[in-house]
Amino acid sequence: MRALLVVNPAATTTSARTRDVLAHALASDLELEVAETRYRGHARDLARHAAEGGETELVVALGGDGTVNEVVNGLLTHGPDPDSHPRLAVVPGGSTNVFARALGLPNDAVEATGALLDALRDGSERTIGLGLAAGTPGSEDEGAPSRWFTFCAGFGFDAGVVGRVEQQRERGKRSTHALYVRQVVRQFMGEARRREGGITLERPGATEGSTEVVEGLAMSIICNTAPWTYLGNRPVYPSPRASFDSALDLFALSKLSAPAVTRYATQLLASTPQRGPHGKHAVSLHDLTDFTLHSQAPLPFQMDGDHLGLRTSVTFTGVRRALRVIV
């Protein structure tokens, strides 16, 4: 099998030694090419060329969730086609590695490599669904390019936290869970619209041609799988029913007052695969194929932990059976 190993040397827990051990192990079973990323978007370009070339059967991503996101977007440049596109394999090399862990892979590069080799020898794979986000037609963001995400997106509060974390990392700070907690507090203190939400949800209604509208949302998290993220080894489940086998789930809050945030943050930390946050200010929707989020004021937007700037409107699509993954 001809394979491409895409390595992000700047990923948090990726090193030259990890790369060499992984490449040596994979080369024993595969006809392997190794490529290191040199700029933002390079993993996407490498994966796109591999898919367009028609000879590569497998692309292995060694890095964090951002690297995986780029590889997926490269593989799906011309749309989803799991029967003809190269398969994807992931070896975790970032700080959190949500996608790899949600697939059930070990959160250790060496152990994950062993699991990957076993899966390749056994022919073990699955086809998963993905989320797609695009600029909304008729809005000022209609020209925003479409982009796939593997496990989550956020519009509003959580995306603002991601943006703050990225700023700190650019200043040399390490990506730690303590860093995220500090930025959550700072985002909350600086949130001008936390008491009255400015996000509107629109989705197809129960009858043909109708639209269901939910107004006054203060934050929104879109999940393609569960968990949404991890705090250390603790999984966090705002949408416990989210799955790679269904479309998208939405969790939103209509109020971000201090008591409400304290209540729902406590519920998030105690969430399980059976029960997520709940209450009069919580909105939980399951298996959404198409919906749009609007805001009068530009809000932060993120996908798979990558801050993408400010948007006023984003249209989401849940696409089942979009990509084959080795597990």
Side-chain angles (χ1 to χ4, degrees):
M1 180 184 293
R2 184 169 180 176
L4 170 67
L5 172 62
V6 178
V7 182
N8 178 4
T12 305
T13 60
T14 301
S15 65
R17 181 180 180 185
T18 301
R19 175 204 62 204
D20 293 342
V21 170
L22 174 59
H24 180 75
L26 293 177
S28 63
D29 284 27
L30 304 167
E31 182 184 341
L32 186 69
E33 176 187 355
V34 180
E36 288 195 349
T37 61
R38 299 190 301 273
Y39 53 85
R40 188 166 185 167
H42 194 192
R44 180 196 61 226
D45 295 341
L46 292 167
R48 184 184 74 245
H49 293 318
E52 293 174 345
E55 297 180 352
T56 301
E57 299 173 77
L58 172 68
V59 176
V60 183
L62 170 58
D65 290 310
T67 303
V68 174
N69 180 277
E70 286 194 12
V71 168
V72 167
N73 275 276
L75 291 175
L76 275 64
T77 298
H78 303 292
D81 188 353
D83 293 330
S84 65
H85 288 343
R87 284 164 285 182
L88 171 70
V90 178
V91 177
S95 58
T96 310
N97 308 304
V98 178
F99 180 67
R101 295 163 81 176
L103 286 172
L105 296 172
N107 193 33
D108 174 83
V110 175
E111 292 182 15
T113 301
L116 169 58
L117 291 172
D118 288 342
L120 287 169
R121 291 162 186 158
D122 295 340
S124 176
E125 61 182 53
R126 63 180 291 193
T127 303
I128 66 169
L130 297 171
L132 181 67
T136 304
S139 75
E140 61 184 70
D141 292 314
E142 65 178 341
S146 300
R147 182 163 170 172
W148 298 91
F149 59 96
T150 63
F151 65 92
C152 84
F155 186 52
F157 183 83
D158 88 296
V161 174
V162 170
R164 288 176 179 271
V165 170
E166 285 193 5
Q167 290 177 349
Q168 293 299 312
R169 293 189 67 181
E170 289 172 358
R171 296 170 184 167
K173 301 288 187 180
R174 285 183 55 82
S175 179
T176 63
H177 298 297
L179 175 63
Y180 274 88
V181 171
R182 289 197 299 271
Q183 302 316 312
V184 166
V185 174
R186 289 173 181 171
Q187 180 68 20
F188 174 75
M189 297 304 296
E191 184 66 51
R193 298 173 178 267
R194 63 174 180 256
R195 292 190 178 276
E196 62 283 332
I199 300 173
T200 298
L201 164 70
E202 294 183 1
R203 63 167 178 152
T207 59
E208 186 175 353
S210 65
T211 301
E212 180 181 338
V213 178
V214 180
E215 298 180 324
L217 303 178
M219 63 162 286
S220 56
I221 296 171
I222 301 92
C223 290
N224 186 51
T225 189
W228 163 56
T229 191
Y230 291 83
L231 291 176
N233 291 321
R234 178 190 292 274
V236 181
Y237 298 92
S239 299
R241 294 189 292 167
S243 167
F244 287 128
D245 297 320
S246 63
L248 302 174
D249 281 31
L250 172 74
F251 173 75
L253 293 177
S254 60
K255 193 174 185 180
L256 287 179
S257 64
V261 168
T262 301
R263 181 186 313 116
Y264 291 112
T266 301
Q267 290 183 1
L268 268 176
L269 292 175
S271 59
T272 69
Q274 292 75 39
R275 188 171 177 82
H278 52 279
K280 65 179 181 179
H281 300 303
V283 176
S284 296
L285 299 172
H286 174 59
D287 199 17
L288 303 179
T289 302
D290 298 285
F291 63 96
T292 297
L293 295 175
H294 301 284
S295 173
Q296 292 184 346
L299 293 177
F301 178 53
Q302 68 89 10
M303 286 198 289
D304 287 347
D306 186 10
H307 188 262
L308 300 179
L310 301 178
R311 301 280 180 89
T312 57
S313 186
V314 186
T315 294
F316 296 91
T317 305
V319 181
R320 294 177 175 85
R321 297 184 55 79
L323 184 67
R324 286 187 300 170
V325 181
I326 303 296
V327 288

